[in-house]
Amino acid sequence: MAGRVTISDVAKLAGVSSQTVSRVINNKGEVSDSTRETILSIIDQTGYRPSGIARSLATSRTMTIGLVVPDIANPFFSDLARGVEIAAYEAGYKVFLCGTDEEPDREEAVLGSLESARVDGVVVCGLRQASDTLRAVLMQFPAVTSVNLIVDESFNCILTDDAAGGRTMTQHLLAGGHRAIGLLAGPECSYSGLGRRQGYSEAMRMAGIEPEERWVQHCRPMVDEGEAAARKLLETNSDLTAIFCYNDLVAVGAMRACKSMGLRVPDDIAIAGYDDIRLADLVTPALTTCRQPREQMGISAFELLFDQLNGEENRGKKIVIRPELIVRASAP
Amino acid sequence: MAGRVTISDVAKLAGVSSQTVSRVINNKGEVSDSTRETILSIIDQTGYRPSGIARSLATSRTMTIGLVVPDIANPFFSDLARGVEIAAYEAGYKVFLCGTDEEPDREEAVLGSLESARVDGVVVCGLRQASDTLRAVLMQFPAVTSVNLIVDESFNCILTDDAAGGRTMTQHLLAGGHRAIGLLAGPECSYSGLGRRQGYSEAMRMAGIEPEERWVQHCRPMVDEGEAAARKLLETNSDLTAIFCYNDLVAVGAMRACKSMGLRVPDDIAIAGYDDIRLADLVTPALTTCRQPREQMGISAFELLFDQLNGEENRGKKIVIRPELIVRASAP
DNA sequence: CTGTTAGCGCGTTCAT
DNA sequence: ATGAACGCGCTAACAG
C-alpha cells in the first residue's frame, strides 16, 4: 500500500509540526482549541489513519495479543476465543489467532512467530505439552494459560477443576448402577484429559472398583476419532455398560459407533460427554455432560492478561472454574 | 518488553555491520560462509528474533491479514476460519481475528482497526450490510469476500451457489409430493438467506406453485429462534407438509417445535436444513440438508487473497461452491 | 502552547 | 563480499 497520508502530510497541511498532530491524536499535552480543530478537520478530510506499525515501533507496545488454541473449529475453543476477542476488542487490543492443529510441535513455532510480531501478551489454551523449553518460551511474554499443564507461579491461569468434573460424572454413572465404565480419555498429553481421568479413577476406587487399563482409550478430541476409539473400546470390552467421554465431540462419535454396532443408547450403553457445547442437547438422545462457561473463561483470561499488562506484578493468580453436571437422556 | 537483542547487537558480537546480519537473515546477497556461520551461531546463542514491527515499517509489508466474521462461535464460521488460518500460516501470514458480534455497525469499525494495523489484506465473511461506504472502506485493501452481498468486479469472492442449493432442496421436497412448503428464511439481510429463498421461489414456480408470503418466516440462525419461528409458521399455516430451513441449527429448532406440537417428522411434516454441520446426522430423525465445504472455502479464500497480494492484478475472480444435497430421514 | 532533536529496529540504496 | 548513510512513520524528551 503506497501513497498513504502520513502524520507529516497532515502537519504540513495544517501548518504545524508533526508533534502537534501527534498530541491531538493521542490527547496528550495541551493544544489550543483552534489548532486542534484545524488538525482534526484535516485528518477527517484526508482520511488519515495513524500507522499502528510506526506507533508500535516508537512506543514498543503493539496493542495486540496472541491467542493460541489447538483447533478453532472445536466448539470449546471457538466459544472461548469469542470471549477473548470480545474482551480484547473492548480494551483496544487486536488478537492474532493461532491454531496449532493439535500438533504439539507447532506450539513452540507459533509462539515464536508471536514473538516476532511483538505481541504485548498471549493467552495460551490447551497446550499439549509442558516441556521446560516451552515453558521458557512462554516466559518471554506476559502470558495467561488456560486448560493446560503449564501451571506454576510464573503464570496467571484459568483452570477448570477437571478432577472434580471427572469424579462427579463417574459417580453419577456409578449411581446409575454401572460398574464397568469405559473412558475415552482424549489426547494423552492433555491437561484436561489427565485431570478427568484422575477423577474417574478416584471415583471408581471409592466405589471399590479397580479401573482396568483396557477400559481406557485415548483419542484426539474430534467426532471421527471418538467414533473409531469407541468402536475399538467396545469391540474389545463386551462388559462395558457405560462410557465416559473426554468431551462432547468424542461422545457424539461414540454414539455414532454405538449406532453402527447396533447398540442402543442409553439402554444398552450409557454415554456421557464433557463441556456441554450448544449441540449437546440437540443430539438424540441428548447428552449427559459437564458444563463449562467457555465464553466467560475467555473473557476472564483476557482480563487476567490485561491486569498483568498494566503494571501490577501479579503473576501466579489462578481462577478455578467448577464444572456443573448436566444430566440428560444419554446417561440418566 | 525492554532489553531485547537487536540486529546491531548481533552485528557487534559478530564484528560485522548490521547489513551483513540482515543479509543472512533474509538470504539475500552474498555472504561468505564463515561470517554466515558466525552470525548464525550468535543468533542462536542470543535468541535473537527480528522484530516484525521494524521489518514491516521498513518494507511496508506486515505479513498479516485480517479475518472478519460475524461470530466465531458459529460452527460455519469457525470451520471457515480454520481453513483461512491454516492456509495463511503455511504461507507465512498471521491472521487477526475480528468478530463483529453480528452487529452491522461494527463491520466498518473493525475494518478501520485493521487498516491501522496495516494488514496486507482481508478476508471478509458474512457481512450483514452492503452499503456504499462499507464497500469504499473495503476497497482500501486487497480483499476477498465470502458469503455476503458485497460482490462485484472490485473483489475476489468465494460464493456458494445458494440459489442452486435452494432450488435443489425445494425440488427434492416437491419430488416427495409436497406442495405447501414453508421457508424459514434466516436473517433478512443475509446473503445466503436471500439466495436460498430465490432458489426456493424458482423451484416452486417451475412446479406451477406460487409461493405464498405467509409460508415464509425470518429468524436469526440459532436453534431457539428457529424453534419460535417454526411454531409461528405452523400455527398460522395448517396446510404445510414440509419446511425448508435456513440452516441446520434452525432446522433442529423446527424439529423441536414439531415435537412439542405433536407433529411427527417426517410423517406429518418434513424438515430440511442447510450446511450439514457435523451433528446433522445425529439428531433423530437425521437431517436432510445441503453440504458446504466450509474449511475448504476458507482455504480457497486465503489462496485467492494470496494471489491478489502477489502481483497479478486479478480482481473480480469468483469461485463458486456448489452445495451438495444430502438426503436423510427428516425429508426422504 | 508549540517546535526541535533524536531515536525505535530494520531494509534499501548506494559505495567500497 | 561488506559497510555507511538514509528513511519507513511515529513518539519521547527537551527546549522555548
Side-chain angles (χ1 to χ4, degrees):
Chain A
M1 301 221 132
R4 260 178 211 281
V5 21
T6 73
I7 196 172
S8 59
D9 293 337
V10 175
K12 265 173 212 152
L13 288 173
V16 297
S17 81
S18 58
Q19 193 45 225
T20 308
V21 178
S22 174
R23 287 192 183 97
V24 170
I25 295 172
N26 299 304
N27 272 324
K28 259 183 184 172
E30 302 298 302
V31 179
S32 78
D33 286 353
S34 64
T35 66
R36 154 171 288 115
E37 276 180 39
T38 347
I39 290 174
L40 248 24
S41 84
I42 290 184
I43 287 180
D44 198 49
Q45 288 166 36
T46 55
Y48 165 67
R49 219 180 264 283
S51 161
I53 297 294
R55 186 178 274 180
S56 295
L57 189 60
T59 59
S60 50
R61 301 187 62 196
T62 56
M63 297 301 284
T64 64
I65 65 165
L67 172 62
V68 180
V69 295
D71 179 10
I72 191 64
N74 178 330
F76 180 88
F77 291 110
S78 65
D79 286 353
L80 193 143
R82 181 174 203 272
V84 170
E85 203 267 333
I86 285 177
Y89 182 86
E90 267 180 27
Y93 283 80
K94 273 179 288 305
V95 4
F96 278 120
L97 173 64
C98 299
T100 61
D101 211 12
E102 298 277 358
E103 290 176 25
D105 290 347
R106 281 182 55 173
E107 295 172 353
E108 211 177 309
V110 301
L111 285 170
S113 79
L114 249 17
E115 211 212 318
S116 294
R118 298 297 191 259
V119 293
D120 293 336
V122 292
V123 172
V124 184
C125 311
L127 292 176
R128 301 301 187 214
Q129 57 168 325
S131 64
D132 285 342
T133 67
L134 187 60
R135 186 168 279 140
V137 172
L138 218 42
M139 213 92 88
Q140 291 178 320
F141 11 48
V144 169
T145 69
S146 181
V147 201
N148 66 49
L149 275 177
I150 294 194
V151 174
D152 53 45
E153 300 309 313
S154 319
F155 306 103
N156 286 326
C157 312
I158 306 275
L159 304 172
T160 57
D161 194 341
D162 287 299
R167 210 182 309 118
T168 306
M169 181 59 83
T170 308
Q171 283 167 346
H172 168 70
L173 294 173
L174 288 163
H178 300 282
R179 311 273 305 164
I181 302 174
L183 180 71
L184 289 179
E188 306 201 43
C189 39
S190 153
Y191 167 73
S192 348
L194 291 175
R196 288 166 207 172
R197 178 172 188 171
Q198 184 194 326
Y200 158 84
S201 300
E202 280 175 22
M204 293 293 270
R205 294 207 179 96
M206 281 166 64
I209 306 168
E210 183 58 29
E212 309 207 17
E213 197 61 41
R214 63 185 171 91
W215 289 348
V216 179
Q217 188 82 35
H218 288 279
C219 66
R220 295 199 299 172
M222 298 156 177
V223 174
D224 293 346
E225 305 235 359
E227 182 173 356
R231 180 167 291 121
K232 206 181 292 179
L233 198 62
L234 290 167
E235 278 168 356
T236 51
N237 297 279
S238 53
D239 51 341
L240 294 180
T241 63
I243 301 180
F244 173 25
C245 303
Y246 172 70
N247 72 5
D248 292 339
L249 297 177
V250 171
V252 163
M255 284 175 52
R256 274 198 185 165
C258 292
K259 207 179 199 175
S260 74
M261 294 173 78
L263 295 169
R264 290 164 308 162
V265 177
D267 299 328
D268 297 326
I269 188 149
I271 302 282
Y274 211 99
D275 285 350
D276 194 29
I277 61 178
R278 288 194 205 156
L279 297 168
D281 66 337
L282 298 171
V283 296
T284 310
L287 264 180
T288 290
T289 188
C290 267
R291 177 177 299 163
Q292 308 198 83
R294 300 172 293 281
E295 184 169 332
Q296 182 55 52
M297 287 169 66
I299 293 176
S300 301
F302 177 79
E303 287 174 347
L304 229 41
L305 183 59
F306 185 78
D307 289 348
Q308 191 173 334
L309 255 28
N310 292 26
E312 329 156 30
E313 190 51 59
N314 42 10
R315 297 188 165 222
K317 268 193 196 172
K318 297 199 195 327
I319 295 183
V320 180
I321 309 275
R322 193 160 290 273
E324 176 192 1
L325 178 68
I326 307 286
V327 178
R328 299 204 185 91
S330 75
Chain B
M1 302 220 131
R4 262 177 209 282
V5 20
T6 74
I7 196 173
S8 60
D9 293 336
V10 175
K12 265 172 213 154
L13 288 173
V16 297
S17 82
S18 56
Q19 316 340 310
T20 309
V21 178
S22 174
R23 287 189 184 99
V24 170
I25 294 172
N26 299 307
N27 272 325
K28 259 183 183 171
E30 302 299 301
V31 178
S32 77
D33 286 354
S34 63
T35 66
R36 155 171 286 116
E37 275 180 39
T38 347
I39 290 173
L40 248 24
S41 85
I42 290 185
I43 287 179
D44 198 50
Q45 289 167 35
T46 55
Y48 165 68
R49 221 180 262 282
S51 161
I53 297 294
R55 184 178 275 178
S56 295
L57 189 60
T59 59
S60 50
R61 299 187 62 197
T62 56
M63 297 303 283
T64 63
I65 66 165
L67 171 63
V68 181
V69 295
D71 179 9
I72 190 63
N74 178 329
F76 181 89
F77 291 110
S78 64
D79 286 353
L80 193 143
R82 182 176 202 270
V84 170
E85 203 267 333
I86 286 177
Y89 182 85
E90 265 181 27
Y93 283 81
K94 272 178 290 302
V95 5
F96 279 120
L97 173 64
C98 299
T100 62
D101 211 11
E102 298 276 1
E103 290 177 26
D105 290 347
R106 280 181 57 171
E107 294 171 354
E108 211 176 310
V110 302
L111 286 169
S113 80
L114 249 18
E115 209 211 319
S116 293
R118 298 296 192 259
V119 293
D120 293 335
V122 292
V123 172
V124 183
C125 311
L127 291 177
R128 300 299 188 214
Q129 56 168 327
S131 65
D132 285 342
T133 66
L134 188 60
R135 185 169 279 139
V137 172
L138 217 44
M139 214 92 88
Q140 293 178 319
F141 11 48
V144 169
T145 70
S146 180
V147 201
N148 66 48
L149 277 176
I150 295 194
V151 174
D152 53 44
E153 301 308 313
S154 319
F155 305 104
N156 286 326
C157 311
I158 305 278
L159 303 171
T160 57
D161 194 341
D162 287 300
R167 210 182 309 117
T168 306
M169 182 58 83
T170 308
Q171 283 167 345
H172 169 70
L173 294 173
L174 288 163
H178 300 282
R179 312 275 304 165
I181 302 174
L183 180 70
L184 290 179
E188 305 200 42
C189 43
S190 154
Y191 167 74
S192 349
L194 291 174
R196 288 167 207 171
R197 178 173 188 169
Q198 184 193 326
Y200 158 84
S201 299
E202 280 175 24
M204 293 293 270
R205 294 208 178 93
M206 284 166 62
I209 306 169
E210 184 57 30
E212 310 208 16
E213 196 60 42
R214 61 184 171 92
W215 289 348
V216 179
Q217 188 80 36
H218 288 279
C219 65
R220 294 199 300 172
M222 298 155 179
V223 175
D224 294 346
E225 305 234 359
E227 181 172 356
R231 180 166 291 122
K232 206 181 292 177
L233 198 63
L234 290 167
E235 278 168 358
T236 51
N237 298 278
S238 53
D239 52 340
L240 294 179
T241 65
I243 301 180
F244 172 26
C245 303
Y246 172 68
N247 71 5
D248 292 339
L249 297 176
V250 171
V252 165
M255 285 177 51
R256 274 197 184 169
C258 293
K259 205 180 202 173
S260 74
M261 294 174 77
L263 296 169
R264 288 165 309 163
V265 178
D267 299 327
D268 298 325
I269 187 149
I271 302 283
Y274 212 98
D275 283 350
D276 194 29
I277 59 178
R278 290 192 207 157
L279 298 166
D281 66 337
L282 293 167
V283 295
T284 307
L287 265 180
T288 290
T289 188
C290 267
R291 178 177 298 164
Q292 307 198 85
R294 299 174 293 279
E295 184 170 332
Q296 182 56 50
M297 287 171 66
I299 294 175
S300 301
F302 177 79
E303 287 174 347
L304 229 40
L305 183 59
F306 185 79
D307 289 348
Q308 191 173 334
L309 256 27
N310 292 27
E312 329 155 32
E313 190 51 57
N314 42 11
R315 296 188 167 224
K317 265 194 197 172
K318 297 200 195 328
I319 294 184
V320 180
I321 308 274
R322 193 160 290 273
E324 176 192 359
L325 178 68
I326 307 285
V327 178
R328 298 205 185 91
S330 75

